[in-house]
Amino acid sequence: MKPNRLTLMTEIDPLLEGLNPQQSEAVTHSGGPLLVVAGAGSGKTRVLTRRIAYLMSRRNVAPYQILAITFTNKAAGEMKERVADLVGPIAKSMWVSTFHSACVRILRQEATRLGYSNSFSIYDSADSQRLITIVAKELNLDAKRYPARQFQSMISNAKNELLGPQDYLNAASNPFEQIVADVYAVYQQRLIRANAMDFDDLILKTVEVLQRYPEAKARFRSRFRHVLVDEYQDTNHAQYILVKELVGTELEGQAPAELCVVGDADQSIYGFRGATIRNILQFELDYPNARTVLLEQNYRSTQNILNAANAVITKNESRKEKNLWSDAGAGSPLTGYVAESEHDEANFIADEIRSLQREGVSTPGDTAIFYRTNAQSRVFEEVFMRNALPYKVVGGLRFYERREVKDLLAYLRVLANLEDEISLRRIINVPKRGIGDTSLDYVDEFARNNDISFWQGLLRVSENGAVPSRAAQAINEFTSMVSALAVLVEAKTKPSVIVEAALEQSGLLKELVDSTDPQDEVRVENLKELVAVSMEYEERPFEELGEDEEISLAGFLEKVSLVTDADEIPEGEDHGGVVTMMTLHTAKGLEFPTVFLTGMEDGIFPHSRTLGEKDEIEEERRLAYVGLTRARQRLYISRAEYRSTWGAPNYNPPSRFLDEIPEDVIEWRNQGRSSSPSLVTRTRTATTPPPRATGKKSVAMELAVGERVSHDTFGLGTVVAVAGAGDKAEATINFGQYGEKRLLLRYAPVEKL
């Protein structure tokens, strides 16, 4: 029998080695658009990297002609490394980045067309909310009736739909939306005046450049001949249009770029961020000549785990049919556990992790605990601390969100862009200089009346009769200090030198060094770490720099601005040797030998706000599918018969997703008081107190706000809030580098100092 062409290629071509036929087809496809429907654990990253390597080494595509888009910086870095391993250092000149990073690179070249300078600031969510608060105040809107967070969410949604302020006003259907339109218009004006863009602007403004300026579009179209998009199911409308503009059509006088998108409709779980599942479900309608390749072979999980996941997800109507399979064998059945309470659930999991460790089957570093909402981590943290089990909660206070780090970054952002109003307002009285909010409001009013920026208003404070003389003098000293530091930026001084100079000159470092608060020692360490980060940034080898990238303060700030949550996840095979705890949304893209999927109750998971909404229940089911398919060998599923809510037991029925798991793939260790896991027991009355997790009585200590305490794991802390009494007494304690922790005092190993 004559071998087919694909067999011969596989024998000959090392780039296709180890790929199954479907993966090979996805790697070698050429011509029209390609949709790779990649099920969980089906090797999509391998396919993407091999395809990019194949383009360069077999189809002679130049690296600068390739644009690959991922959803995290971490994934982008890994992809670049993998391609470089296959084709050599030439791969370093490709554009492999997140949507936001790619857009920043385009806008650094094109922003002047839109009235920005190339040194524009990037506002994160907190900066954006702060500016909206100022705008709402300017428009005399009651902050309690009209919270800034609500405005921010609605403006973000509008930008994700590519609606500018006027478009939004035209579409407004009620008085509230008209108010939002007013806030949006002023907010956008103030962003432009501050030479700043928020995260949503990065994509919106890039699309605007491509749609309004044909010569700019032609330049990027002729450059990027191959566009690859990972996690396509997570794209929103703005990202979808951006891809369409970059790819182009035949009608525009230039052959469209070759498009390859990879994704899985079954893992579309970011609807709350504006992601729309239609982008992947209707890909073939958008691109009629598209080829679709299904990757159904799973290389991660055992067949029992996949059978459970397949059975759950098939209940969704909005999906492309596929069925994951593995040749790794059936593996162990899933383990189900019905706990009496959330404490019993956490204790069972802690005992099981210990037991697996004793047996040499699985270590804490092999293990992940998933839950639907962040609040569920509290009980696990308390139980794990009591059991001396090492753990890490992913999604807590990140390094770049710590107060002292944000303060120093705000100084640097002002030096890079003197018009950055939000950063100016943050630092002008840090350390304290006697410049109050009232004085700043007078400066703001003066600036608006004279149609100048906030910075210009500060420089002309002597003309502003409303500002008290002491505050005016302090403002003059501040602007003088900032202006002197800004000279370093003009002189293209190394970022690390500017960081150190800002630390010294601002008084930030002195204030913390002189402090008697032990926590401030940690803050000094964090600031030193930022200096180290700036040194790492400027010491990168030449080949790691983009072709248009130069070492600068603006470049450093850009890198920092675009850091994502994924950087918080422990690295390595054993994930740092600790149990990893995270929400299901954070878990996407990860895998662990042992997984505990917890809180499987209607009202917890699926979440109470989704009940009764078909589309939302389908997204919750996709979230369950993501959770199930993170496990490689061992999967535990647990629920509690009741949970404490506001201090009283609350009974939730079992999650509807449990009924969808075939009985032959799961073994129930404990089915609670009901004979079947699918029947909820009501034998307890609401007056019955939950059993004590430890079985012994203990007395909670009494703490007051401001008191200093010591904790066995977290070290020194300051009490910032207290709630409850007796057995229910809780305290929120700030532990510096560990952030704020909410502790149940009855169990917490805390001592007063």
Side-chain angles (χ1 to χ4, degrees), residues 44-104:
K44 72 176 175 71
T45 308
R46 177 193 284 188
V47 166
L48 265 175
T49 50
R50 294 280 187 99
R51 179 169 175 82
I52 294 169
Y54 193 90
L55 288 173
M56 283 192 270
S57 58
R58 304 295 185 266
R59 293 177 56 189
N60 298 318
V61 175
Y64 61 80
Q65 293 180 306
I66 296 171
L67 171 63
I69 295 173
T70 67
F71 265 76
T72 67
N73 294 310
K74 194 172 175 184
E78 284 173 3
M79 193 177 292
K80 218 170 197 177
E81 289 296 323
R82 287 202 200 183
V83 176
D85 289 343
L86 293 167
V87 300
I90 190 172
K92 301 285 187 183
S93 56
M94 301 182 301
W95 275 32
V96 183
S97 63
T98 63
F99 270 106
H100 292 105
S101 297
C103 287
V104 170

Side-chain angles (χ1 to χ4, degrees), residues 98-394:
T98 63
F99 270 106
H100 292 105
S101 297
C103 287
V104 170
R105 286 182 80 170
I106 293 171
L107 289 168
R108 290 287 180 219
Q109 300 174 38
E110 305 293 338
T112 50
R113 297 178 188 270
L114 304 177
Y116 293 84
S117 86
N118 293 336
S119 62
F120 60 83
S121 296
I122 302 169
Y123 279 4
D124 64 14
S125 178
D127 300 323
S128 162
Q129 202 169 313
R130 209 166 285 122
L131 184 56
I132 288 171
T133 303
I134 293 167
V135 169
K137 189 175 175 183
E138 184 186 323
L139 296 173
N140 295 316
L141 295 170
D142 180 0
K144 287 183 180 171
R145 191 174 172 195
Y146 300 109
R149 191 185 289 272
Q150 190 176 7
F151 286 133
Q152 183 185 28
S153 171
M154 294 182 78
I155 292 168
S156 176
N157 291 341
K159 288 184 177 184
N160 287 336
E161 292 296 324
L162 297 176
L163 298 174
Q166 192 57 50
D167 303 319
Y168 191 88
L169 180 62
N170 295 342
S173 57
N174 57 54
F176 179 66
E177 286 180 359
Q178 287 174 341
I179 292 169
V180 175
D182 293 341
V183 171
Y184 185 6
V186 179
Y187 169 68
Q188 211 57 31
Q189 286 164 11
R190 295 199 69 141
L191 277 173
I192 294 169
R193 194 189 305 161
N195 190 32
M197 297 189 198
D198 62 24
F199 257 70
D200 299 310
D201 276 332
L202 297 176
I203 295 177
L204 175 79
K205 298 295 179 188
T206 306
V207 170
E208 191 178 335
V209 165
L210 297 173
Q211 290 184 338
R212 281 180 56 189
Y213 300 98
E215 65 279 20
K217 181 175 178 175
R219 197 166 79 253
F220 290 106
R221 282 277 319 280
S222 60
R223 174 176 179 157
F224 297 125
R225 303 309 305 141
H226 292 268
V227 178
L228 301 96
V229 186
D230 192 12
E231 307 285 8
Y232 192 69
Q233 77 281 346
D234 293 335
T235 51
N236 60 31
H237 178 68
Q239 290 162 336
Y240 162 79
I241 295 294
L242 175 66
V243 171
K244 288 202 84 164
E245 291 295 338
L246 285 168
V247 171
T249 64
E250 296 277 5
L251 301 173
E252 293 168 320
Q254 188 177 5
E258 199 169 290
L259 175 64
C260 167
V261 305
V262 181
D264 180 8
D266 291 340
Q267 295 184 71
S268 176
I269 58 173
Y270 295 117
F272 65 97
R273 288 185 196 164
T276 169
I277 195 170
R278 70 134 329 263
N279 292 353
I280 193 162
L281 292 177
Q282 297 187 24
F283 185 83
E284 287 131 323
L285 288 175
D286 295 332
Y287 301 93
N289 59 336
R291 175 90 182 96
T292 298
V293 176
L294 280 180
L295 303 184
E296 296 177 290
Q297 185 174 357
N298 176 285
Y299 295 91
R300 177 188 298 155
S301 307
T302 61
Q303 194 60 52
N304 275 333
I305 293 169
L306 296 179
N307 287 348
N310 287 332
V312 170
I313 200 64
T314 51
K315 298 291 190 288
N316 272 4
E317 292 174 17
S318 305
R319 66 187 294 265
K320 195 175 274 291
E321 192 60 44
K322 69 171 185 310
N323 206 48
L324 293 182
W325 61 275
S326 168
D327 57 12
S332 308
L334 282 63
T335 300
Y337 184 81
V338 182
E340 284 198 63
S341 66
E342 68 268 42
H343 288 280
D344 179 24
E345 181 182 43
N347 277 309
F348 163 74
I349 291 170
D351 291 345
E352 197 64 21
I353 292 169
R354 282 275 189 247
S355 172
L356 291 170
Q357 189 176 21
R358 280 195 304 274
E359 293 165 18
V361 175
S362 178
T363 67
D366 291 332
T367 309
I369 297 172
F370 300 148
Y371 34 75
R372 177 63 180 83
T373 61
N374 274 309
Q376 288 167 256
S377 78
R378 182 177 66 91
V379 174
F380 291 111
E381 287 191 70
E382 287 157 13
V383 169
F384 276 48
M385 277 187 277
R386 272 206 318 278
N387 285 276
L389 264 172
Y391 71 91
K392 178 180 177 74
V393 179
V394 177

Side-chain angles (χ1 to χ4, degrees), residues 121 348 396 446 513 681 704:
S121 296
F348 163 74
F446 177 84
V513 169
T681 177

